[in-house]
């Protein structure tokens, strides 16, 4: 019995590769988003620390320095939030690419499965014909004797 060969296997392999690449790109963007979110958490904790120091101190210079640092942290937070928004847009685009790649791969996978089922049916019919021929030839040879 001959082995099943899918004529579009190279294209299916290419689609699988493209899907993996798209997933890797999405993962990179998601890791950048996570890093920016960690940065936001760090900024928030720094603001709390500075605010605590400002509240506990009665020195005007400490208050003035703390206020300037708070303004700096607010600017840093705003820039971080802006980067997150841009990365989120990029992530949405990458998700769409992954979704499209998954669809393309799935179509070829389904087609492969249908062709494999057809091939199995053909092989079973062929095997049945061969078996019938063998049985018929043996029966014919036995009746001629």
């Amino acid at each position: 019995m001959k082995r099943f060969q899918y004529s579009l296997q190279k294209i299916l392999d290419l689609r699988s590769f493209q899907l993996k690449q798209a997933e890797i790109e999405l993962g990179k963007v998601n890791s950048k988003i996570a890093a920016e979110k960690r940065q936001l958490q760090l900024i928030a904790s720094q603001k709390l620390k500075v605010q605590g120091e400002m509240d506990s101190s009665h020195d005007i210079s400490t208050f003035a320095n703390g206020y300037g640092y708070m303004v700096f942290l607010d600017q840093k937070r705003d820039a971080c939030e802006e980067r997150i928004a841009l990365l989120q847009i990029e992530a949405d685009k990458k998700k769409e690419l992954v979704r499209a790649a998954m669809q393309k791969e799935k179509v070829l996978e389904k087609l492969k499965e249908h062709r494999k089922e057809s091939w199995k049916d053909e092989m079973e019919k062929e095997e049945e014909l061969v078996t019938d021929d063998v049985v018929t030839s043996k029966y014919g040879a036995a009746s001629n004797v």
Side-chain angles (χ1 to χ4, degrees):
M1 182 159 88
K2 66 180 182 177
R3 196 173 146 225
F4 174 72
Q5 288 192 348
Y6 183 49
S7 60
L8 300 175
Q9 186 63 44
K10 288 183 180 181
I11 296 172
L12 178 59
D13 293 342
L14 176 66
R15 299 283 191 220
S16 297
F17 177 76
Q18 288 173 337
L19 174 61
K20 287 177 187 173
Q21 291 299 316
E23 288 173 340
I24 289 170
E25 291 299 317
L26 177 61
K28 288 178 182 178
V29 172
N30 283 337
S31 69
K32 288 178 184 178
I33 290 172
E36 290 295 331
K37 286 183 178 180
R38 284 191 301 274
Q39 186 68 27
L40 275 179
Q41 290 174 343
L42 181 62
I43 291 169
S45 67
Q46 287 175 341
K47 280 185 75 169
L48 285 175
K49 182 180 174 186
V50 170
Q51 186 65 46
E53 289 175 9
M54 286 172 52
D55 290 344
S56 66
S57 176
H58 299 294
D59 184 20
I60 192 74
S61 65
T62 303
F63 183 77
N65 289 337
Y67 180 77
Y69 190 62
M70 293 286 275
V71 169
F72 168 74
L73 288 177
D74 286 339
Q75 291 171 348
K76 198 172 176 182
R77 181 199 63 219
D78 292 343
C80 196
E81 287 172 347
E82 186 177 323
R83 285 190 302 270
I84 288 174
L86 292 173
L87 287 170
Q88 196 63 46
I89 291 169
E90 186 178 345
D92 291 341
K93 289 177 185 176
K94 300 289 184 183
K95 285 177 189 175
E96 190 56 40
L97 290 175
V98 168
R99 196 172 298 120
M102 287 175 88
Q103 278 182 325
K104 288 178 182 178
E105 183 187 39
K106 194 174 218 177
V107 166
L108 287 174
E109 284 286 343
K110 285 185 178 183
L111 183 59
K112 180 180 179 179
E113 290 302 316
H114 288 301
R115 288 198 180 163
K116 191 169 188 174
E117 289 299 318
S118 299
W119 175 82
K120 282 182 181 179
D121 292 343
E122 287 177 24
M123 289 297 108
E124 287 174 4
K125 287 178 185 177
E126 188 176 307
E127 190 176 309
E128 189 176 306
L129 287 174
V130 169
T131 305
D132 284 348
D133 286 346
V134 169
V135 170
T136 304
S137 67
K138 282 187 179 183
Y139 178 73
S143 64
N144 287 338
V145 175

